[in-house]
Amino acid sequence: MTAHTREVDIQELERAWMDEAIKVATNSVANGGGPFGSLVARGGEIVAIGHNQVTANLDPTAHGEVSAMRAACQELGTFSLEGCVLITSCEPCPMCLSSALWARVDRILYSADRHDAAVAGFDDRKFYELFEKKDHSMWPLRIEQLDLPNRTAPFDAWLAKSDRIDY
C-alpha cells in the first residue's frame, strides 16, 4: 500500500465518520435532543458516540462532544484520549474545545461551523467573542476573586500528595 493510497483510505474513513456524526446529530433532533453529534475514534475504529442531551438531561454540559468524550473515556478506562480523534458535526463551542484540550485528543474534525450554528439559533460566536474580551466587566455575569490566606491550600495538598495522578 502506498502512502497516497493510505491517505485516500484515511480520508474516506473520516468522511464516513463525519457522515455518522451528522446522522447522529439529525437523529438527536428527531428524538428530542439538540442538533449536534460526535464520535471519538482511535486506530481506525469508533470508540464512542455522543449527541447533544442538554434539554433531555437538564444538563448544560451535555453537549455532543462532551457526551462522546465521556463515553470514550469510560470505554477505554482512562481520562486521557491521547491517540484519539474527535469527529463532530459542528465546530466545538469553547466549552467543548476546552474539554477536548483537557482530554488530550490528538485532533478535532468538524463539518458545520459556528456561523452555521448561529443561523439555527446556537450562537457560539458570542462565547468566542466574549473570551476575546480582557475586560470582565463587559461579561454578562460577574467574575470576582475573593482572596483568602488559605486560597492555595488545595494546591499545596495536591503537590504534597506522593501518589497523585497528574493530568
Side-chain angles (χ1 to χ4, degrees), residues 77-135:
T78 181
F79 58 84
S80 174
L81 295 177
E82 287 185 60
C84 294
V85 179
L86 175 64
I87 295 92
T88 182
S89 62
C90 186
E91 180 180 11
C93 73
M95 178 188 71
C96 293
L97 181 58
S98 295
S99 297
L101 287 165
W102 275 109
R104 311 294 198 261
V105 299
D106 285 1
R107 188 164 63 106
I108 297 172
L109 185 62
Y110 68 89
S111 191
D113 65 19
R114 64 184 83 168
H115 308 292
D116 298 320
V119 171
F122 296 91
D123 206 351
D124 299 351
R125 293 180 305 191
K126 288 182 182 176
F127 293 121
Y128 276 102
E129 291 167 3
L130 186 65
F131 287 122
E132 292 173 3
K133 295 179 182 179
K134 302 280 189 234
D135 182 5

Side-chain angles (χ1 to χ4, degrees), residues 34-57:
F36 303 94
S38 301
L39 59 91
V40 174
R42 182 176 77 173
E45 300 291 327
I46 295 174
V47 175
I49 295 173
H51 63 92
N52 183 286
Q53 301 175 65
V54 170
T55 57
N57 291 354

Side-chain angles (χ1 to χ4, degrees), residues 6-24:
R6 198 170 21 256
E7 185 177 318
V8 170
D9 288 345
I10 291 170
Q11 288 174 348
E12 288 178 14
L13 186 58
E14 289 178 346
R15 285 182 182 274
W17 287 340
M18 187 61 73
D19 282 339
E20 180 66 18
I22 292 169
K23 185 167 61 172
V24 167

